[in-house]
Amino acid sequence: MPFRKPNDEGTRPTDVTETLVARGTAGAVAVAWDADQAVTALYSANYRSLVRLAAMLVRDAGTAEEVVQDAFVAMHGGWRRLRDPDKALSYLRQSVVNRSRSVLRHRAVVEKYAPKGLPDAPSAEAGAIGELERSAVVDALSRLPTRQREALVLRYYADLSEAEIAGAMGISRGAVKSHTARGMTALRNVLEQFS
């Protein structure tokens, strides 16, 4: 359907292309009119379905609308390079899919390099309770016999194995097990008295 100028009284209807040819400027402007009309027709007929397609891909309605609008702008700008104008809708769909992929790639990169949030800081009460518990354990350890205290500290604070503890203390592995078991029992009894 060619664009027609409004009828003036007593003149014949003139096609825009005929007017442009008569003036010698048919090349660029006639194609621009065709691009405007075609893109307008495609936009009104397919915009919503293309936005739904993009929204399914990018999972965000606002971004989907931007993707589709960018695809229409690109198609309008490249209308002259379009080999088969009948396949413009296919071109638009492919453009929407490609632009949606680009959005998803960009999101992945942003998420990958986003600064990590700081861990939640413990409350002042938790810090105070932790300090009391540590001081209670240190106080209870100081009340244990020397060998039991050494065995417990090397086992649970230094995280040494029984063989390493035996070598450090100069005793057998059996003696390490015995001192550790007795020390844990005595430590438990002392801590129960504090609480």
Side-chain angles (χ1 to χ4, degrees), residues 129-195:
I129 291 171
E131 184 61 36
L132 285 173
E133 289 173 353
R134 280 190 293 280
S135 65
V137 170
V138 170
D139 189 38
L141 275 171
S142 67
R143 295 180 184 206
L144 296 178
T146 305
R147 291 282 186 170
Q148 290 176 7
R149 182 174 56 245
E150 288 174 355
L152 288 176
V153 168
L154 291 172
R155 177 72 180 117
Y156 295 104
Y157 286 102
D159 200 27
L160 298 179
S161 67
E162 289 177 356
E164 293 170 327
I165 296 170
M169 292 179 65
I171 57 175
S172 69
R173 289 179 68 184
V176 170
K177 289 180 185 179
S178 174
H179 287 307
T180 304
R182 287 185 194 144
M184 286 299 291
T185 303
L187 186 63
R188 188 175 304 115
N189 289 337
V190 172
L191 289 174
E192 284 176 358
Q193 289 174 2
F194 282 132
S195 57

Short mmCIF file of all heavy atoms in Angstrom, two decimals, residues 129-195:
data_model
loop_
_atom_site.label_atom_id
_atom_site.label_comp_id
_atom_site.label_asym_id
_atom_site.label_seq_id
_atom_site.Cartn_x
_atom_site.Cartn_y
_atom_site.Cartn_z
N ILE A 129 29.51 -13.26 75.03
CA ILE A 129 29.30 -14.65 75.47
C ILE A 129 30.47 -15.52 75.04
O ILE A 129 30.97 -16.35 75.80
CB ILE A 129 27.96 -15.19 74.94
CG1 ILE A 129 26.81 -14.47 75.64
CG2 ILE A 129 27.86 -16.70 75.15
CD1 ILE A 129 25.45 -14.76 75.06
N GLY A 130 30.93 -15.32 73.79
CA GLY A 130 32.08 -16.08 73.31
C GLY A 130 33.32 -15.82 74.14
O GLY A 130 34.08 -16.75 74.46
N GLU A 131 33.54 -14.57 74.50
CA GLU A 131 34.69 -14.21 75.35
C GLU A 131 34.58 -14.86 76.72
O GLU A 131 35.56 -15.38 77.26
CB GLU A 131 34.80 -12.69 75.48
CG GLU A 131 36.01 -12.23 76.24
CD GLU A 131 37.32 -12.64 75.59
OE1 GLU A 131 37.41 -12.67 74.35
OE2 GLU A 131 38.27 -12.95 76.34
N LEU A 132 33.37 -14.87 77.31
CA LEU A 132 33.17 -15.52 78.61
C LEU A 132 33.43 -17.01 78.52
O LEU A 132 34.06 -17.60 79.41
CB LEU A 132 31.76 -15.26 79.11
CG LEU A 132 31.46 -13.87 79.65
CD1 LEU A 132 29.98 -13.71 79.97
CD2 LEU A 132 32.30 -13.59 80.89
N GLU A 133 32.94 -17.64 77.44
CA GLU A 133 33.15 -19.07 77.28
C GLU A 133 34.63 -19.39 77.11
O GLU A 133 35.14 -20.35 77.68
CB GLU A 133 32.34 -19.59 76.08
CG GLU A 133 30.86 -19.61 76.33
CD GLU A 133 30.05 -19.97 75.09
OE1 GLU A 133 30.65 -20.08 73.99
OE2 GLU A 133 28.83 -20.14 75.22
N ARG A 134 35.34 -18.56 76.31
CA ARG A 134 36.78 -18.80 76.12
C ARG A 134 37.53 -18.63 77.44
O ARG A 134 38.40 -19.43 77.78
CB ARG A 134 37.34 -17.85 75.07
CG ARG A 134 37.08 -18.29 73.65
CD ARG A 134 37.86 -17.44 72.64
NE ARG A 134 37.42 -16.06 72.60
CZ ARG A 134 36.35 -15.61 71.95
NH1 ARG A 134 35.61 -16.46 71.26
NH2 ARG A 134 36.02 -14.34 71.98
N SER A 135 37.18 -17.58 78.17
CA SER A 135 37.87 -17.36 79.44
C SER A 135 37.56 -18.48 80.44
O SER A 135 38.42 -18.90 81.22
CB SER A 135 37.53 -16.00 80.03
OG SER A 135 36.16 -15.94 80.37
N ALA A 136 36.34 -19.03 80.39
CA ALA A 136 35.98 -20.13 81.27
C ALA A 136 36.76 -21.38 80.90
O ALA A 136 37.24 -22.11 81.79
CB ALA A 136 34.47 -20.40 81.20
N VAL A 137 36.93 -21.63 79.60
CA VAL A 137 37.68 -22.80 79.15
C VAL A 137 39.16 -22.64 79.53
O VAL A 137 39.79 -23.58 80.03
CB VAL A 137 37.52 -23.02 77.62
CG1 VAL A 137 38.48 -24.08 77.11
CG2 VAL A 137 36.09 -23.42 77.31
N VAL A 138 39.72 -21.46 79.33
CA VAL A 138 41.12 -21.22 79.68
C VAL A 138 41.32 -21.38 81.18
O VAL A 138 42.30 -21.99 81.65
CB VAL A 138 41.57 -19.82 79.19
CG1 VAL A 138 42.93 -19.45 79.76
CG2 VAL A 138 41.60 -19.78 77.68
N ASP A 139 40.38 -20.87 81.95
CA ASP A 139 40.46 -21.01 83.41
C ASP A 139 40.36 -22.47 83.81
O ASP A 139 41.10 -22.94 84.69
CB ASP A 139 39.36 -20.18 84.06
CG ASP A 139 39.53 -20.08 85.57
OD1 ASP A 139 40.69 -19.97 86.02
OD2 ASP A 139 38.50 -20.11 86.27
N ALA A 140 39.44 -23.20 83.19
CA ALA A 140 39.27 -24.62 83.50
C ALA A 140 40.52 -25.41 83.08
O ALA A 140 40.95 -26.33 83.80
CB ALA A 140 38.04 -25.18 82.81
N LEU A 141 41.12 -25.06 81.96
CA LEU A 141 42.35 -25.74 81.53
C LEU A 141 43.49 -25.50 82.52
O LEU A 141 44.30 -26.40 82.78
CB LEU A 141 42.78 -25.25 80.14
CG LEU A 141 42.16 -25.93 78.94
CD1 LEU A 141 42.53 -25.19 77.65
CD2 LEU A 141 42.57 -27.38 78.85
N SER A 142 43.54 -24.32 83.06
CA SER A 142 44.62 -24.01 84.00
C SER A 142 44.50 -24.81 85.29
O SER A 142 45.49 -25.00 86.01
CB SER A 142 44.65 -22.52 84.32
OG SER A 142 43.50 -22.15 85.04
N ARG A 143 43.33 -25.34 85.60
CA ARG A 143 43.12 -26.14 86.81
C ARG A 143 43.45 -27.62 86.60
O ARG A 143 43.49 -28.37 87.56
CB ARG A 143 41.67 -26.01 87.26
CG ARG A 143 41.33 -24.61 87.68
CD ARG A 143 39.91 -24.52 88.11
NE ARG A 143 39.58 -23.13 88.42
CZ ARG A 143 38.62 -22.79 89.24
NH1 ARG A 143 37.90 -23.69 89.84
NH2 ARG A 143 38.40 -21.52 89.47
N LEU A 144 43.67 -28.03 85.34
CA LEU A 144 43.98 -29.43 85.05
C LEU A 144 45.44 -29.72 85.36
O LEU A 144 46.30 -28.83 85.32
CB LEU A 144 43.71 -29.76 83.58
CG LEU A 144 42.27 -29.67 83.09
CD1 LEU A 144 42.22 -29.98 81.60
CD2 LEU A 144 41.38 -30.63 83.85
N PRO A 145 45.75 -31.00 85.62
CA PRO A 145 47.16 -31.39 85.77
C PRO A 145 47.93 -31.10 84.46
O PRO A 145 47.36 -31.07 83.37
CB PRO A 145 47.11 -32.89 86.05
CG PRO A 145 45.72 -33.14 86.56
CD PRO A 145 44.85 -32.11 85.91
N THR A 146 49.22 -30.91 84.55
CA THR A 146 50.06 -30.47 83.43
C THR A 146 49.95 -31.41 82.24
O THR A 146 49.77 -30.95 81.10
CB THR A 146 51.53 -30.36 83.89
OG1 THR A 146 51.59 -29.50 85.02
CG2 THR A 146 52.39 -29.81 82.78
N ARG A 147 50.10 -32.72 82.42
CA ARG A 147 50.07 -33.67 81.30
C ARG A 147 48.71 -33.66 80.60
O ARG A 147 48.64 -33.71 79.38
CB ARG A 147 50.39 -35.09 81.79
CG ARG A 147 51.80 -35.29 82.24
CD ARG A 147 52.69 -35.42 81.05
NE ARG A 147 54.04 -35.76 81.50
CZ ARG A 147 54.99 -36.11 80.69
NH1 ARG A 147 54.73 -36.19 79.41
NH2 ARG A 147 56.18 -36.38 81.14
N GLN A 148 47.62 -33.62 81.36
CA GLN A 148 46.28 -33.59 80.75
C GLN A 148 46.10 -32.29 79.96
O GLN A 148 45.58 -32.30 78.84
CB GLN A 148 45.21 -33.71 81.83
CG GLN A 148 45.15 -35.07 82.48
CD GLN A 148 44.14 -35.13 83.60
OE1 GLN A 148 43.38 -34.18 83.84
NE2 GLN A 148 44.12 -36.26 84.31
N ARG A 149 46.53 -31.17 80.53
CA ARG A 149 46.41 -29.88 79.84
C ARG A 149 47.21 -29.90 78.54
O ARG A 149 46.73 -29.49 77.49
CB ARG A 149 46.88 -28.76 80.77
CG ARG A 149 46.74 -27.39 80.14
CD ARG A 149 47.06 -26.25 81.10
NE ARG A 149 48.39 -26.37 81.68
CZ ARG A 149 48.65 -26.56 82.98
NH1 ARG A 149 47.66 -26.68 83.85
NH2 ARG A 149 49.89 -26.63 83.43
N GLU A 150 48.45 -30.40 78.59
CA GLU A 150 49.30 -30.46 77.39
C GLU A 150 48.64 -31.33 76.33
O GLU A 150 48.61 -30.97 75.14
CB GLU A 150 50.68 -31.01 77.74
CG GLU A 150 51.54 -30.05 78.51
CD GLU A 150 52.85 -30.69 78.96
OE1 GLU A 150 53.05 -31.91 78.75
OE2 GLU A 150 53.68 -29.97 79.54
N ALA A 151 48.12 -32.50 76.73
CA ALA A 151 47.50 -33.43 75.77
C ALA A 151 46.28 -32.77 75.09
O ALA A 151 46.11 -32.88 73.87
CB ALA A 151 47.11 -34.73 76.46
N LEU A 152 45.46 -32.09 75.89
CA LEU A 152 44.27 -31.45 75.32
C LEU A 152 44.63 -30.28 74.39
O LEU A 152 44.04 -30.13 73.32
CB LEU A 152 43.34 -30.95 76.44
CG LEU A 152 42.60 -32.03 77.22
CD1 LEU A 152 41.80 -31.41 78.36
CD2 LEU A 152 41.69 -32.84 76.31
N VAL A 153 45.59 -29.46 74.81
CA VAL A 153 45.98 -28.32 73.99
C VAL A 153 46.59 -28.79 72.68
O VAL A 153 46.26 -28.26 71.60
CB VAL A 153 46.95 -27.39 74.77
CG1 VAL A 153 47.58 -26.37 73.84
CG2 VAL A 153 46.21 -26.70 75.91
N LEU A 154 47.48 -29.80 72.74
CA LEU A 154 48.10 -30.31 71.50
C LEU A 154 47.06 -30.98 70.59
O LEU A 154 47.14 -30.89 69.37
CB LEU A 154 49.23 -31.28 71.83
CG LEU A 154 50.47 -30.64 72.47
CD1 LEU A 154 51.45 -31.72 72.93
CD2 LEU A 154 51.14 -29.68 71.50
N ARG A 155 46.07 -31.62 71.19
CA ARG A 155 45.07 -32.34 70.39
C ARG A 155 44.05 -31.39 69.77
O ARG A 155 43.76 -31.44 68.59
CB ARG A 155 44.36 -33.38 71.27
CG ARG A 155 43.27 -34.13 70.56
CD ARG A 155 43.88 -35.10 69.56
NE ARG A 155 42.85 -35.83 68.88
CZ ARG A 155 42.64 -35.75 67.56
NH1 ARG A 155 43.39 -34.98 66.83
NH2 ARG A 155 41.70 -36.44 66.99
N TYR A 156 43.47 -30.49 70.57
CA TYR A 156 42.33 -29.70 70.10
C TYR A 156 42.69 -28.29 69.64
O TYR A 156 41.95 -27.71 68.85
CB TYR A 156 41.24 -29.67 71.17
CG TYR A 156 40.67 -31.05 71.41
CD1 TYR A 156 41.01 -31.78 72.54
CD2 TYR A 156 39.84 -31.63 70.47
CE1 TYR A 156 40.51 -33.05 72.75
CE2 TYR A 156 39.34 -32.91 70.66
CZ TYR A 156 39.68 -33.62 71.80
OH TYR A 156 39.20 -34.88 71.98
N TYR A 157 43.78 -27.71 70.12
CA TYR A 157 44.17 -26.39 69.67
C TYR A 157 45.23 -26.46 68.58
O TYR A 157 45.18 -25.74 67.60
CB TYR A 157 44.64 -25.51 70.84
CG TYR A 157 43.50 -25.05 71.71
CD1 TYR A 157 43.24 -25.65 72.93
CD2 TYR A 157 42.68 -24.01 71.30
CE1 TYR A 157 42.18 -25.23 73.71
CE2 TYR A 157 41.62 -23.59 72.08
CZ TYR A 157 41.38 -24.21 73.28
OH TYR A 157 40.32 -23.80 74.06
N ALA A 158 46.20 -27.36 68.74
CA ALA A 158 47.25 -27.51 67.73
C ALA A 158 46.84 -28.50 66.65
O ALA A 158 47.48 -28.58 65.61
CB ALA A 158 48.56 -27.94 68.38
N ASP A 159 45.78 -29.27 66.89
CA ASP A 159 45.23 -30.24 65.94
C ASP A 159 46.28 -31.27 65.49
O ASP A 159 46.40 -31.59 64.31
CB ASP A 159 44.64 -29.51 64.73
CG ASP A 159 43.64 -30.38 63.98
OD1 ASP A 159 43.05 -31.26 64.61
OD2 ASP A 159 43.48 -30.16 62.75
N LEU A 160 47.03 -31.79 66.46
CA LEU A 160 48.03 -32.82 66.17
C LEU A 160 47.40 -34.20 66.32
O LEU A 160 46.44 -34.40 67.06
CB LEU A 160 49.22 -32.69 67.13
CG LEU A 160 50.02 -31.38 67.07
CD1 LEU A 160 51.13 -31.41 68.10
CD2 LEU A 160 50.57 -31.13 65.69
N SER A 161 47.99 -35.16 65.63
CA SER A 161 47.51 -36.55 65.76
C SER A 161 48.07 -37.15 67.05
O SER A 161 48.96 -36.59 67.69
CB SER A 161 47.98 -37.36 64.56
OG SER A 161 49.40 -37.49 64.58
N GLU A 162 47.58 -38.33 67.42
CA GLU A 162 48.06 -38.99 68.64
C GLU A 162 49.54 -39.29 68.54
O GLU A 162 50.28 -39.12 69.52
CB GLU A 162 47.26 -40.27 68.90
CG GLU A 162 45.85 -40.01 69.35
CD GLU A 162 45.04 -41.28 69.53
OE1 GLU A 162 45.57 -42.38 69.22
OE2 GLU A 162 43.90 -41.18 69.99
N ALA A 163 50.01 -39.71 67.38
CA ALA A 163 51.43 -40.02 67.21
C ALA A 163 52.27 -38.75 67.35
O ALA A 163 53.35 -38.78 67.97
CB ALA A 163 51.66 -40.66 65.84
N GLU A 164 51.81 -37.64 66.80
CA GLU A 164 52.55 -36.38 66.90
C GLU A 164 52.57 -35.88 68.35
O GLU A 164 53.59 -35.35 68.82
CB GLU A 164 51.93 -35.32 65.99
CG GLU A 164 52.09 -35.63 64.51
CD GLU A 164 51.28 -34.70 63.61
OE1 GLU A 164 50.18 -34.27 64.04
OE2 GLU A 164 51.75 -34.43 62.49
N ILE A 165 51.46 -36.05 69.05
CA ILE A 165 51.40 -35.64 70.46
C ILE A 165 52.37 -36.50 71.29
O ILE A 165 53.11 -35.98 72.14
CB ILE A 165 49.97 -35.75 71.01
CG1 ILE A 165 49.05 -34.76 70.29
CG2 ILE A 165 49.94 -35.50 72.53
CD1 ILE A 165 47.58 -34.95 70.60
N ALA A 166 52.36 -37.80 71.01
CA ALA A 166 53.26 -38.71 71.73
C ALA A 166 54.71 -38.31 71.51
O ALA A 166 55.52 -38.28 72.46
CB ALA A 166 53.02 -40.15 71.27
N GLY A 167 55.06 -37.96 70.28
CA GLY A 167 56.43 -37.52 70.00
C GLY A 167 56.75 -36.20 70.68
O GLY A 167 57.86 -36.01 71.20
N ALA A 168 55.80 -35.26 70.70
CA ALA A 168 56.05 -33.95 71.32
C ALA A 168 56.17 -34.05 72.83
O ALA A 168 56.98 -33.35 73.45
CB ALA A 168 54.92 -32.98 70.95
N MET A 169 55.35 -34.91 73.44
CA MET A 169 55.37 -35.01 74.91
C MET A 169 56.37 -36.05 75.40
O MET A 169 56.66 -36.10 76.60
CB MET A 169 53.96 -35.38 75.41
CG MET A 169 52.94 -34.26 75.22
SD MET A 169 51.28 -34.70 75.78
CE MET A 169 51.51 -34.88 77.53
N GLY A 170 56.87 -36.92 74.49
CA GLY A 170 57.82 -37.96 74.88
C GLY A 170 57.17 -39.09 75.65
O GLY A 170 57.78 -39.67 76.55
N ILE A 171 55.91 -39.42 75.28
CA ILE A 171 55.19 -40.51 75.93
C ILE A 171 54.62 -41.43 74.85
O ILE A 171 54.68 -41.14 73.66
CB ILE A 171 54.07 -39.98 76.85
CG1 ILE A 171 53.09 -39.09 76.08
CG2 ILE A 171 54.66 -39.20 78.03
CD1 ILE A 171 51.89 -38.62 76.90
N SER A 172 54.02 -42.53 75.27
CA SER A 172 53.44 -43.48 74.31
C SER A 172 52.07 -42.98 73.83
O SER A 172 51.45 -42.11 74.45
CB SER A 172 53.30 -44.86 74.96
OG SER A 172 52.29 -44.81 75.96
N ARG A 173 51.61 -43.60 72.75
CA ARG A 173 50.28 -43.23 72.22
C ARG A 173 49.19 -43.61 73.20
O ARG A 173 48.17 -42.91 73.32
CB ARG A 173 50.04 -43.92 70.87
CG ARG A 173 50.91 -43.32 69.77
CD ARG A 173 50.69 -44.01 68.46
NE ARG A 173 49.36 -43.74 67.93
CZ ARG A 173 48.88 -44.29 66.83
NH1 ARG A 173 49.61 -45.14 66.14
NH2 ARG A 173 47.67 -44.00 66.42
N GLY A 174 49.35 -44.72 73.87
CA GLY A 174 48.38 -45.13 74.89
C GLY A 174 48.28 -44.10 76.00
O GLY A 174 47.19 -43.82 76.50
N ALA A 175 49.42 -43.56 76.42
CA ALA A 175 49.42 -42.55 77.48
C ALA A 175 48.74 -41.27 76.98
O ALA A 175 48.04 -40.59 77.75
CB ALA A 175 50.86 -42.26 77.92
N VAL A 176 48.91 -40.95 75.70
CA VAL A 176 48.24 -39.78 75.12
C VAL A 176 46.74 -39.97 75.20
O VAL A 176 46.00 -39.06 75.60
CB VAL A 176 48.69 -39.53 73.66
CG1 VAL A 176 47.82 -38.48 73.00
CG2 VAL A 176 50.15 -39.12 73.61
N LYS A 177 46.25 -41.16 74.82
CA LYS A 177 44.81 -41.44 74.88
C LYS A 177 44.31 -41.32 76.31
O LYS A 177 43.24 -40.76 76.57
CB LYS A 177 44.52 -42.84 74.34
CG LYS A 177 44.70 -42.98 72.86
CD LYS A 177 44.38 -44.40 72.43
CE LYS A 177 44.67 -44.63 70.97
NZ LYS A 177 44.38 -46.02 70.57
N SER A 178 45.06 -41.85 77.22
CA SER A 178 44.65 -41.82 78.63
C SER A 178 44.60 -40.39 79.16
O SER A 178 43.62 -39.98 79.79
CB SER A 178 45.65 -42.65 79.44
OG SER A 178 45.36 -42.55 80.82
N HIS A 179 45.66 -39.58 78.90
CA HIS A 179 45.69 -38.19 79.37
C HIS A 179 44.57 -37.37 78.72
O HIS A 179 43.95 -36.54 79.40
CB HIS A 179 47.05 -37.54 79.08
CG HIS A 179 48.16 -38.03 79.95
ND1 HIS A 179 48.10 -38.04 81.33
CD2 HIS A 179 49.39 -38.53 79.65
CE1 HIS A 179 49.23 -38.51 81.83
NE2 HIS A 179 50.04 -38.82 80.81
N THR A 180 44.30 -37.61 77.45
CA THR A 180 43.26 -36.87 76.74
C THR A 180 41.88 -37.20 77.31
O THR A 180 41.08 -36.30 77.58
CB THR A 180 43.29 -37.18 75.23
OG1 THR A 180 44.59 -36.90 74.72
CG2 THR A 180 42.26 -36.37 74.46
N ALA A 181 41.61 -38.47 77.54
CA ALA A 181 40.30 -38.88 78.07
C ALA A 181 40.10 -38.34 79.48
O ALA A 181 39.03 -37.78 79.80
CB ALA A 181 40.19 -40.39 78.06
N ARG A 182 41.12 -38.46 80.34
CA ARG A 182 41.00 -37.96 81.71
C ARG A 182 40.88 -36.44 81.71
O ARG A 182 40.11 -35.86 82.49
CB ARG A 182 42.23 -38.38 82.53
CG ARG A 182 42.23 -39.82 82.88
CD ARG A 182 43.41 -40.14 83.80
NE ARG A 182 43.59 -41.57 83.86
CZ ARG A 182 44.77 -42.17 83.93
NH1 ARG A 182 45.88 -41.46 83.97
NH2 ARG A 182 44.85 -43.47 83.99
N GLY A 183 41.63 -35.79 80.83
CA GLY A 183 41.56 -34.32 80.76
C GLY A 183 40.18 -33.84 80.32
O GLY A 183 39.66 -32.85 80.86
N MET A 184 39.57 -34.51 79.36
CA MET A 184 38.23 -34.12 78.89
C MET A 184 37.20 -34.30 80.01
O MET A 184 36.33 -33.44 80.19
CB MET A 184 37.81 -34.94 77.66
CG MET A 184 38.52 -34.55 76.39
SD MET A 184 38.23 -32.83 75.92
CE MET A 184 36.53 -32.88 75.46
N THR A 185 37.32 -35.38 80.77
CA THR A 185 36.39 -35.61 81.86
C THR A 185 36.55 -34.54 82.93
O THR A 185 35.56 -33.96 83.41
CB THR A 185 36.61 -37.01 82.48
OG1 THR A 185 36.47 -37.99 81.46
CG2 THR A 185 35.63 -37.29 83.60
N ALA A 186 37.79 -34.23 83.28
CA ALA A 186 38.04 -33.21 84.31
C ALA A 186 37.60 -31.83 83.81
O ALA A 186 37.00 -31.06 84.57
CB ALA A 186 39.53 -33.21 84.67
N LEU A 187 37.86 -31.53 82.55
CA LEU A 187 37.47 -30.24 81.98
C LEU A 187 35.95 -30.09 81.98
O LEU A 187 35.42 -29.03 82.32
CB LEU A 187 38.03 -30.11 80.55
CG LEU A 187 37.86 -28.80 79.85
CD1 LEU A 187 38.61 -27.69 80.60
CD2 LEU A 187 38.38 -28.89 78.42
N ARG A 188 35.25 -31.16 81.62
CA ARG A 188 33.78 -31.13 81.62
C ARG A 188 33.25 -30.87 83.03
O ARG A 188 32.34 -30.06 83.21
CB ARG A 188 33.25 -32.47 81.08
CG ARG A 188 31.77 -32.51 80.86
CD ARG A 188 31.28 -33.80 80.22
NE ARG A 188 31.93 -34.08 78.97
CZ ARG A 188 32.75 -35.13 78.74
NH1 ARG A 188 33.00 -35.99 79.71
NH2 ARG A 188 33.31 -35.32 77.57
N ASN A 189 33.85 -31.51 84.01
CA ASN A 189 33.41 -31.33 85.40
C ASN A 189 33.64 -29.89 85.85
O ASN A 189 32.78 -29.29 86.51
CB ASN A 189 34.13 -32.29 86.33
CG ASN A 189 33.67 -33.73 86.13
OD1 ASN A 189 32.57 -33.96 85.63
ND2 ASN A 189 34.51 -34.68 86.49
N VAL A 190 34.80 -29.32 85.52
CA VAL A 190 35.10 -27.94 85.92
C VAL A 190 34.15 -26.96 85.25
O VAL A 190 33.63 -26.03 85.87
CB VAL A 190 36.57 -27.60 85.61
CG1 VAL A 190 36.85 -26.12 85.84
CG2 VAL A 190 37.51 -28.46 86.45
N LEU A 191 33.89 -27.15 83.96
CA LEU A 191 32.99 -26.24 83.22
C LEU A 191 31.55 -26.35 83.70
O LEU A 191 30.83 -25.36 83.71
CB LEU A 191 33.08 -26.52 81.71
CG LEU A 191 34.39 -26.08 81.04
CD1 LEU A 191 34.42 -26.53 79.59
CD2 LEU A 191 34.57 -24.58 81.13
N GLU A 192 31.13 -27.55 84.12
CA GLU A 192 29.76 -27.69 84.64
C GLU A 192 29.61 -26.94 85.96
O GLU A 192 28.53 -26.43 86.27
CB GLU A 192 29.43 -29.17 84.84
CG GLU A 192 29.14 -29.89 83.54
CD GLU A 192 28.90 -31.38 83.72
OE1 GLU A 192 29.01 -31.89 84.86
OE2 GLU A 192 28.62 -32.03 82.71
N GLN A 193 30.68 -26.82 86.70
CA GLN A 193 30.62 -26.08 87.96
C GLN A 193 30.43 -24.59 87.69
O GLN A 193 29.77 -23.90 88.46
CB GLN A 193 31.89 -26.31 88.79
CG GLN A 193 32.00 -27.67 89.35
CD GLN A 193 33.35 -27.89 90.05
OE1 GLN A 193 34.17 -26.98 90.13
NE2 GLN A 193 33.54 -29.09 90.59
N PHE A 194 31.04 -24.07 86.61
CA PHE A 194 30.93 -22.65 86.28
C PHE A 194 29.53 -22.29 85.80
O PHE A 194 29.07 -21.18 86.02
CB PHE A 194 31.94 -22.25 85.18
CG PHE A 194 33.33 -22.09 85.69
CD1 PHE A 194 34.39 -22.69 85.04
CD2 PHE A 194 33.60 -21.34 86.82
CE1 PHE A 194 35.68 -22.54 85.49
CE2 PHE A 194 34.89 -21.18 87.29
CZ PHE A 194 35.94 -21.80 86.63
N SER A 195 28.84 -23.22 85.15
CA SER A 195 27.54 -22.88 84.57
C SER A 195 26.40 -23.21 85.45
O SER A 195 26.20 -23.03 86.53
CB SER A 195 27.31 -23.61 83.26
OG SER A 195 27.42 -25.01 83.45
#
